[in-house]
Amino acid sequence: MRRLMNVRWFGAALVILVLAGACVQLGRWQLHRLQEREARNEVTRSNLAAAPTPLAEIVGPDHVVGEQHDWRTAVVTGRYDATKQVVVRYRNVDDRPGFEIVTPLVMADGTAVLVDRGFLPRQGGELAPASVPAVPSGDVTVTGRVRRSERGGHTSGGTPVDGTARLINGPEYGAALGLKLYDGYLTVDHQEPAADPAFDGFPGPEIDNGPHFFYALQWFFFALLAVGGLVYFSRQDVRKSKEPADPAEPESGAESEPESGADADVAVRN
């Protein structure tokens, strides 16, 4: 029996140690995510402070907006193609649901960039905006923030269907609209001619470290709690094993109780 109990105890101890090790690894993973976020925040701060620059000089000839370009202020001149405009649904700005209107801006060399012209708050339960502000005619100069294409895993939310989409994705829009688009888009800060006042602007980036540090502390605490519990209960088992046996408790193999008087008499007469 004692041997069986020892096997069970060692099995439980092994499981607890494995769980503690997993908690430590999860804590380290959260610290790694914290470092990544801090590095990304530094890039964002630097990009926000950079002077407005032509889009082609920021992104380069591959036309791919990377993390190192995110939130740079770009300047681009071209003509809006209203025939290929897309209404992006299920958007939220300052906890208000609504729509964003994305229109390709075609430049002189034939390339185009998606421009998020602004946010339209949803009125009541409408599934589409009642009216969309018209695009300016002729050449338009847009000064706005460079953003990376949005990606939703294996969903098709970045492909426009019947003039609507859920995400803003340059390559998927380009394939659907037949345009040579940048892999990324712009959000309007300033426009000449001026943007329609019906549009709301966009908030800036959230520059904080998030909850990763506190999550890491929680995982390390769980690991410490598991190891501490293992030590405590193992000490309890050792203490109990050293306690003297209860004298009132009969030991195995002890002699049987003496026979009663009547039984003893019978035994003597026989």
Side-chain angles (χ1 to χ4, degrees):
M1 178 65 70
R2 178 172 291 275
R3 183 175 181 181
L4 179 59
M5 291 178 63
N6 285 340
V7 171
R8 289 178 178 174
W9 188 91
F10 282 118
L14 181 61
V15 171
I16 291 173
L17 290 176
V18 169
L19 289 176
C23 289
V24 170
Q25 291 301 317
L26 287 169
R28 294 179 61 188
W29 173 64
Q30 287 293 342
L31 291 179
H32 179 66
R33 293 191 65 190
L34 174 61
Q35 292 174 349
E36 290 180 339
R37 186 153 183 165
E38 289 174 339
R40 187 166 63 249
N41 286 343
E42 286 301 313
V43 173
T44 300
R45 291 189 186 96
S46 176
N47 287 349
L48 288 173
T53 307
L55 178 62
E57 295 181 18
I58 293 174
V59 178
D62 60 357
H63 296 168
V64 177
V65 176
E67 188 173 344
Q68 71 275 21
H69 309 127
D70 219 10
W71 296 104
R72 282 288 302 272
T73 302
V75 181
V76 61
T77 299
R79 295 192 173 206
Y80 280 125
D81 187 348
T83 64
K84 297 179 179 179
Q85 185 165 264
V86 177
V87 176
V88 185
R89 301 180 296 170
Y90 308 111
R91 311 297 273 196
N92 282 275
V93 172
D94 297 330
D95 294 327
R96 295 176 303 157
F99 312 92
E100 293 175 18
I101 309 303
V102 175
T103 310
L105 186 72
V106 183
M107 291 166 277
D109 62 358
T111 59
V113 62
L114 296 174
V115 176
D116 193 341
R117 296 200 290 135
F119 176 80
L120 297 175
R122 190 175 69 186
Q123 306 298 324
E126 65 182 6
L127 300 178
S131 62
V132 175
V135 299
S137 60
D139 287 342
V140 178
T141 298
V142 174
T143 302
R145 299 293 183 179
V146 178
R147 303 305 315 277
R148 288 178 293 166
S149 289
E150 299 172 349
R151 291 175 170 83
H154 298 291
T155 68
S156 59
T159 300
V161 177
D162 296 329
T164 66
R166 298 186 64 173
L167 303 173
I168 307 174
N169 183 287
E172 293 186 21
Y173 277 44
L177 302 177
L179 292 172
K180 184 180 178 182
L181 285 169
Y182 274 72
D183 185 354
Y185 66 101
L186 294 180
T187 58
V188 173
D189 282 347
H190 179 73
Q191 180 180 284
E192 290 291 342
D196 194 294
F199 283 122
D200 286 355
F202 301 100
E206 294 183 1
I207 304 178
D208 57 50
N209 292 332
H212 304 298
F213 177 73
F214 298 101
Y215 286 165
L217 288 183
Q218 287 179 356
W219 285 118
F220 291 144
F221 174 75
F222 293 152
L224 184 63
L225 192 65
V227 174
L230 176 62
V231 172
Y232 172 78
F233 287 112
S234 63
R235 289 173 63 89
Q236 290 292 100
D237 287 346
V238 171
R239 184 178 295 112
K240 288 180 180 179
S241 67
K242 290 182 178 179
E243 290 178 355
D246 188 349
E249 186 178 319
E251 297 181 2
S252 60
E255 293 183 359
S256 61
E257 294 181 359
E259 298 174 337
S260 64
D263 290 342
D265 261 354
V266 172
V268 169
R269 286 174 186 172
N270 291 339

